[in-house]
Amino acid sequence: MLILYFFVLHVLQSVRAQQLLQGSCRFEQGTCGYNSDPEYLKWVLDEEGHYITADSAFGGAGQKAVLIGPDLELLEWGCIRLVYQITGSGSLKMYVRPEGESFDYLLWSALDPSDSWLIASIDLRNTTNRYKIIFVASPGQKPEQSVAIFEILVVPGYCVECNFEEHHLCGYMNYWNPNVNWYVGGSTIRDGQSNLPFDHTMNNERGHYMYVDSVYAKHFQEVAQLTSPMTTTAISGCLSFYYQRDQAKGNVFSVFTRDRMGHYEEIWKPDIYAKFIWKLVKVDIKAPHPLAVVFEVAFNSAKGGYVAIDDISFSPEFCSTETEPFFDPSVANCDFEEDFCQYYQEQTEGSVWNRVSVKPNVYRVGDHTTGSGSFLLANTRLISRPGYVGRLYGPYLPGTLKYCLRFYYALHGFIKTDNTLAVYSYDENNVAQEKVWTVSESPMGSWIQVEVNYQKLMPTKVVFVSICKNFWDCGLVTLDDITVSLGDCRISADGFPCPPSECNFEVDNCGYTQDEKDDSNWIRKRGQTPTSYTGPKGDHTTGVGYYMYIEASPMISGHSARLLSNELRGFLHQQCLVFYYNMYGSGTGLLSIYLKKEGQRDEVLLWRRRGEQSISWLKGLVEYECDKNHQIVFEGVRGNSVRSDIAIDDILFQKGPCKELGETSIPYSGFSENYIDY
């Protein structure tokens, strides 16, 4: 894969006729308001080469350099064209830092080294809030490794848009074929005998466009692809472009979208032979995830003619008024806290599924949502009969769309788990079409997350089916927190799986660090803790993932372990800390949360629980304000026996007070001392 341009340092400025927005910089007359964070490795301006660099030679190996941009406010959608280079084993990341928030949000990252300048295109959503652009470079561990930025161009519009008049070609790339490729067309290739056109933008010999010609084709169906930058967020609307086509002995021209998983979807192809004129095409794009646009031409022979394209643009409004907006599948979401939502049971089948709640206790696991809320229960030995089938029907969802179904289930008391729970798709005639999922061997008593992708041509509804073959094989099946979204479960809408304000410990510690002055450490763990009758059976996120806990066995009663967050910036509003904790065990000690302000020795106690609370994961909420840089500290203290394991998981910081986010306080069993009740 090669980038479709050779970067020339001495390109005339007159060629660059783009409208540039605030935040742009070519580093020709300074750094344009971009400054190094003094706490990290310094970025150095090379005035002769007109670029800025972070070099391992300027500091300790392995250090990172942080470049902070000026205040920006982008009322319309924008695009950053970044020209950069990584030498050695370094990396470069770009973040957005919203004003008044504690976290930087990752927009883009690169790890690939290069001997030449590379280009990246990053979409910037429109917003009424001020923000800064932050670049974080890690030059690498060895000497003479560096990360450099040559240009930062902020232009209006979407990154998929391009008129091909700029030397960087808007980041469009050619997936290289030795015989047929997309080239820059215009004055550089025209001669008296050429049949290639003037460009569409300027309609003269000085303009440029992209074209692919069959003259070097050697094999049947040789393919050339021109691919836009991958969007950094989901987009939907009207894609427009102009094309001109000389078919001669034959070529096939198509336009596709491609997601991050490499899946292609054809969105347009010509329906008639084109004449030698520029023809406008408008096609609607609907995708709930980031994508790239691919222009593909296949030739039948060396006399297959040519295809040219120009002036690609995008509008968030659909081309056709008949195009239906995105369907909102959240009608199928339910946490069963209030009722069954839009789920139901047929009267003829009886009420096999029942909505129940279990107060936090040491004998039975509560719901997944809060630990003390409601969930669905089916197939108990008290109500089951041999051979019964309990069906829970969801609402109908339109056909042709791809859905991601997520839910949590837990099994209790089964000897065999085969067919204890399955998910089917049913058509409009209430006939089962396909079994899309069935339970396999799984831990008993833990909430397990399931992700299922499915797509049907006709409207369907999902049906949860619980089967009890005979009395001795029956047990309890529980169900909670059903969500349905558009797209593939493996692709997030913003292209990044976990925002910086969230941590589920599935990949690493998310930057949380141990307090070295303490007696023990928090441990990242999967599965049940080693000591029986204490700690969780699995994590809260998926049931089979990771969490953090203190292992009481090697600790002495009263010993503590402290886990510190990254340093958070101060903010001018309230913030809600949401987390899940497990305090199960007869000797459980103390879990506290402190606010540690920069420059202050004393810490502020925000929340505390003492003693055994529940066998379940419980939801905790902390609302606080802090206008200074600070850290959040989770402190676990061992109780009077080894059955004192304490665990935390799924930490989330949300802007605004907790109550405004619809959260409520949770009743807790056990004794609690010095805690904030809200």
Side-chain angles (χ1 to χ4, degrees), residues 10-23:
H10 303 291
V11 176
L12 294 177
Q13 295 296 330
S14 59
V15 177
R16 307 179 187 182
Q18 284 178 290
Q19 176 190 354
L20 299 182
L21 302 178
Q22 187 180 9

Side-chain angles (χ1 to χ4, degrees), residues 427-482:
D427 64 15
E428 292 179 297
N429 297 317
N430 225 25
V431 176
Q433 295 294 306
E434 180 187 6
K435 180 190 287 187
V436 297
W437 175 85
T438 187
V439 69
S440 57
E441 291 294 328
S442 59
M444 288 285 182
S446 295
W447 285 106
I448 307 297
Q449 185 191 53
V450 175
E451 293 185 340
V452 181
N453 292 313
Y454 75 96
Q455 184 175 22
K456 301 297 177 184
L457 295 177
M458 73 293 289
T460 57
K461 56 185 173 184
V462 294
V463 179
F464 294 86
V465 180
S466 176
I467 301 175
C468 175
K469 294 182 179 180
N470 60 70
F471 177 81
W472 300 109
D473 285 340
C474 290
L476 287 77
V477 179
T478 56
L479 189 65
D480 203 5
D481 293 343
I482 303 171

Side-chain angles (χ1 to χ4, degrees), residues 116-183:
S116 61
W117 295 99
L118 304 176
I119 184 169
S121 299
I122 304 103
D123 286 294
L124 291 175
R125 290 175 176 269
N126 52 331
T127 176
T128 57
N129 298 324
R130 297 175 68 86
Y131 64 92
K132 297 178 185 289
I133 295 297
I134 311 296
F135 293 97
V136 178
S138 299
Q141 298 288 342
K142 299 180 180 179
E144 299 182 0
Q145 294 186 338
S146 64
V147 178
I149 298 176
F150 184 86
E151 269 187 355
I152 305 170
L153 302 183
V154 185
V155 297
Y158 294 76
C159 288
V160 298
E161 298 182 296
C162 196
N163 60 12
F164 303 108
E165 300 303 326
E166 307 303 317
H167 65 274
H168 49 59
L169 304 181
C170 314
Y172 272 74
M173 304 173 74
N174 188 19
Y175 283 74
W176 200 258
N177 181 313
N179 299 321
V180 293
N181 293 283
W182 289 87
Y183 295 97

